[in-house]
Amino acid sequence: MSEHQRYYLTTPLYYVNSRPHIGHSYTNIACDALARHWRQRLGRDKVFFLTGTDEHGQKIARAAQAAGQEPQAFTDAISGTFRQLWTALNVDYDVFIRTTEERHKQAVRKVWTDLDAKGDIYSSSYQGYYCTPCETFLTEETVRQMTSEGREVTCPDCKRAAERIEETNYFFRMSKYQDWLVRALENGADEQGRPMVVLPETRRNEVLGFLKANKLEDLCVSRPKARLSWGIETPLSSEHVTYVWFDALVNYVSACGYGSDPVALERWWPADVHVIGKDILRHHAIYWTILLKALGLAPPRLIFAHGWWVVGGEKMSKSKGNVVDPVEIAAQYGVDAYRYFLLRETPFGQDGVFSQEALTLRFNTDLANDLGNLLNRSLTMCEKYFGGEVPAFEVSAKAAELKDLVDGLSGRVERAMERLAFHEALQAIWEPIGRANKYIEESAPWTLAKEGRTAELKTVIGALHEVLSATAKMLYPFMPATAEAVASQLGIERLEVVPYPVRWGSFAAGGRRIAKGAPLFPRIEDPDKPKTGDKKKAKSA
Ligand code: ME8
């Protein structure tokens, strides 16, 4: 449990040069589950979930030009597709920030003047190589190595050809903070003992390894307007705009009051977690932490870099034609099955392989067989034996095992979510589901009915109802619509009436009338062809 009683989480701000794909949806679905989980624990007003779009820079300017549009109109349209996607995937963020918003620009200008006043900014002329797709300068060392080997100078990250440029720019004295950063990363806290953790551990070691092997160069934080005008003009020179990363990272504080609302900033900063993909680890663990240090702001408590989804053994890219559209997948399998798959299939932090076969398998096993059947069988028996009214009951020795699982469930999920171990949280939720399915077999309610053992029969039906209502509550952050559909079939009008943390018997089930509906996850028989007729049902689940 966090001692500070509020939770601020962020996603990266996505570039608006092309439409969102499953990679973007992964980060936001994970953050949505995290935000909903913390809202259950702390209340809605104690959680701040920030997402948005990164709209400046060369890459966007070129994409707008290629589309024959003005950058602002172009970014308005693509930023809109991100918002629509979040609505479609049930991603319930608190604030959507765009780096073209005035309050953000104002915050960026404040960063410039504050750093300048501190003497952490200087101007100098620069010659070197630049990678436009990554919006990054190559280090002198990289260029030296490539030229000495007689190779073409290419970006070490994306491997595309880098452009040679020569210009006067402004630089941020990043190098002066290198030793501070190494110590803070090693200690997992800054010199004031404020936490600053990078997870997974392998990623932290990667950053530390980089910092120990390389001397940090100062960061070039401006671009001459002559080359690029689509950016935030610097307060130091009307001839320059801000480097896109130096602009975008600031969103994490501009969205919570930096430069505009000190009370809000005090309330929310530092962030509890920046969730990012491993591709932008260095920008966050190095540039951003150092920038905060220079500004006199606390470091983020946690930076979590998740893994990469690969498709057909390769990184998704337009040129390879293997980009997976989350809207299509969600339409085929249902939003919640898609959310479930992303969070259950691969431990957060590791790379995952996306395939429809794997998704179908999860759908049929975990959702149709385990959860779907449990609900269906439990409700059918409740109708058959008790006319659809959940009986009051006594806990038997066998049911006590289920009771223990339910009572321990919120704690187990909380511990997993504190480590962003979504797959473990879901495994924990599936444990009582699996146990309850076995419990039906072991207690054979059909025999109890035949033999007139009504008290025992009441226990079975009542216990199943307890497990299912606890499951619905705990599943809500991951599969909100499914959780509500389960609750509604159980006869629970709103999930909020089930108290959190879940406890066996903590809300009176006895006497509740169930409302059995259609199966939530009808099996997909042919993995290549999800049942189109069931699309709507699965989608609304
Ligand atoms: O980097 N697998 O934006 P971006 C998993 N604007 N996650 C993936 C992924 C994949 N195959 N592809 C993308 C930027 N992502 C900057 C960020 S932050 C101030 C500025 C996700 O549009 C993952 O979260 O390239 C990754 O870090 C992010 O999209 C990159 O999005």
Side-chain angles (χ1 to χ4, degrees):
M1 183 64 182
S2 76
E3 72 292 351
H4 52 279
Q5 295 290 299
R6 53 88 176 153
Y7 198 85
Y8 175 24
L9 73 160
T10 69
T11 73
L13 293 202
Y14 303 108
Y15 286 131
V16 289
N17 58 328
S18 58
R19 295 171 60 79
H21 57 64
I22 58 164
H24 305 111
S25 75
Y26 183 45
T27 321
N28 275 45
I29 286 171
C31 284
D32 185 59
L34 202 54
R36 289 176 191 265
H37 170 79
W38 280 98
R39 285 180 195 134
Q40 283 190 327
R41 289 168 74 169
L42 303 176
R44 173 133 208 157
D45 63 334
K46 299 276 175 40
V47 176
F48 181 22
F49 170 15
L50 175 70
T51 189
T53 40
D54 184 355
E55 308 193 358
H56 291 122
Q58 191 104 286
K59 190 149 73 165
I60 313 295
R62 285 190 184 170
Q65 202 180 14
Q69 289 180 25
E70 284 303 312
Q72 189 65 58
F74 180 77
T75 56
D76 286 350
I78 303 219
S79 180
T81 65
F82 276 91
R83 269 185 202 256
Q84 281 161 13
L85 179 63
W86 306 147
T87 306
L89 296 178
N90 224 343
V91 171
D92 184 12
Y93 54 80
D94 293 298
V95 170
F96 187 102
I97 189 165
R98 301 181 56 189
T99 55
T100 47
E101 280 172 42
E102 193 44 46
R103 66 171 164 159
H104 174 74
K105 293 183 187 171
Q106 191 185 318
V108 171
R109 288 193 286 265
K110 181 170 158 56
V111 167
W112 275 97
T113 42
D114 286 2
L115 292 181
D116 185 43
K118 256 191 102 179
D120 273 352
I121 295 272
Y122 61 91
S123 86
S124 166
S125 79
Y126 174 88
Q127 295 181 8
Y129 283 83
Y130 190 69
C131 173
T132 302
C134 296
E135 302 277 12
T136 311
F137 284 98
L138 273 59
T139 64
E140 283 172 19
E141 182 49 36
T142 305
V143 175
R144 217 180 354 257
Q145 213 174 339
M146 289 180 180
T147 42
S148 73
E149 290 167 10
R151 284 195 280 149
E152 183 193 14
V153 180
T154 53
C155 172
D157 292 327
C158 75
K159 316 287 178 225
R160 282 176 270 211
E163 293 172 56
R164 184 166 172 78
I165 55 170
E166 194 172 338
E167 56 199 26
T168 296
N169 267 317
Y170 288 88
F171 289 79
F172 168 46
R173 290 187 201 281
M174 206 159 68
S175 54
K176 108 179 192 200
Y177 296 97
Q178 180 159 6
D179 294 341
W180 167 83
L181 182 59
V182 168
R183 259 196 310 278
L185 284 169
E186 277 174 346
N187 296 336
D190 72 358
E191 68 290 358
Q192 296 182 42
R194 298 178 296 198
M196 188 187 113
V197 177
V198 173
L199 284 175
E201 192 87 344
T202 48
R203 300 280 165 232
R204 182 197 76 137
N205 296 343
E206 194 180 295
V207 177
L208 271 173
F210 174 82
L211 289 170
K212 286 178 179 170
N214 298 281
K215 205 177 144 14
L216 272 188
E217 289 174 14
D218 289 341
L219 187 65
C220 179
V221 290
S222 68
R223 298 292 180 265
K225 276 192 186 166
R227 176 156 76 84
L228 171 73
S229 61
W230 183 237
I232 302 175
E233 188 179 294
T234 75
L236 307 189
S237 148
S238 58
E239 298 301 308
H240 289 85
V241 295
T242 310
Y243 166 46
V244 64
W245 272 102
F246 204 60
D247 154 358
L249 288 164
V250 173
N251 93 87
Y252 299 133
V253 290
S254 69
C256 67
Y258 178 77
S260 61
D261 184 348
V263 177
L265 187 69
E266 169 75 25
R267 172 154 193 230
W268 295 111
W269 193 256
D272 290 80
V273 60
H274 292 315
V275 180
I276 56 169
K278 63 180 184 180
D279 52 324
I280 52 176
L281 175 64
R282 241 179 242 181
H283 303 79
H284 285 77
I286 301 179
Y287 303 176
W288 179 229
T289 51
I290 289 184
L291 179 55
L292 287 165
K293 167 73 181 159
L295 291 170
L297 291 169
R301 293 189 166 111
L302 173 63
I303 295 172
F304 195 109
H306 66 64
W308 212 246
W309 282 100
V310 291
V311 177
E314 290 187 287
K315 197 173 156 174
M316 263 178 297
S317 86
K318 263 200 219 160
S319 54
K320 288 185 198 129
N322 64 348
V323 177
V324 181
D325 181 353
V327 177
E328 272 173 30
I329 297 291
Q332 238 177 329
Y333 294 88
V335 168
D336 278 358
Y338 175 59
R339 289 173 61 115
Y340 176 79
F341 174 78
L342 291 181
L343 298 180
R344 175 63 186 84
E345 184 70 2
T346 304
F348 208 56
Q350 290 177 22
D351 289 348
V353 177
F354 188 90
S355 75
Q356 301 223 10
E357 292 71 27
L359 209 169
T360 304
L361 190 64
R362 284 269 170 220
F363 187 103
N364 282 343
T365 345
D366 302 1
L367 302 180
N369 284 4
D370 297 347
L371 174 61
N373 274 348
L374 178 65
L375 180 70
N376 218 37
R377 292 165 90 191
S378 305
L379 296 185
T380 302
M381 291 190 291
C382 183
E383 271 180 348
K384 188 165 170 194
Y385 304 132
F386 297 103
E389 193 176 298
V390 184
F393 69 101
E394 304 281 330
V395 182
S396 64
K398 241 188 235 143
E401 224 180 290
L402 286 174
K403 175 181 180 302
D404 289 346
L405 281 175
V406 166
D407 286 341
L409 186 56
S410 291
R412 285 185 66 189
V413 171
E414 287 180 7
R415 285 190 295 278
M417 293 301 266
E418 280 158 15
R419 292 177 291 113
L420 279 74
F422 300 98
H423 72 297
E424 281 179 28
L426 286 166
Q427 275 169 337
I429 297 171
W430 252 254
E431 218 173 290
I433 295 175
R435 190 70 201 88
N437 273 322
K438 283 205 193 85
Y439 172 67
I440 297 178
E441 300 306 322
E442 288 165 6
S443 44
W446 40 91
T447 310
L448 300 178
K450 216 187 289 162
E451 294 174 0
R453 291 151 69 184
T454 313
E456 287 166 75
L457 190 59
K458 282 183 177 171
T459 298
V460 176
I461 304 304
L464 292 173
H465 200 277
E466 286 291 338
V467 169
L468 281 162
S469 52
T471 301
K473 186 77 180 181
M474 296 311 294
L475 196 55
Y476 176 77
F478 306 89
M479 305 175 77
T482 299
E484 273 160 2
V486 171
S488 130
Q489 294 206 19
L490 292 173
I492 301 167
E493 54 288 1
R494 285 174 311 114
L495 252 183
E496 289 94 274
V497 303
V498 181
Y500 187 91
V502 292
R503 286 273 173 274
W504 186 271
S506 65
F507 87 111
R512 201 173 289 273
R513 286 212 69 81
I514 60 153
K516 184 165 172 271
L520 297 181
F521 300 101
R523 271 186 76 81
I524 299 167
E525 300 304 340
D526 179 354
D528 294 331
K529 277 197 210 105
K531 283 196 227 163
T532 41
D534 293 325
K535 249 195 227 173
K536 260 210 207 95
K537 248 182 275 158
K539 204 175 174 184
S540 63

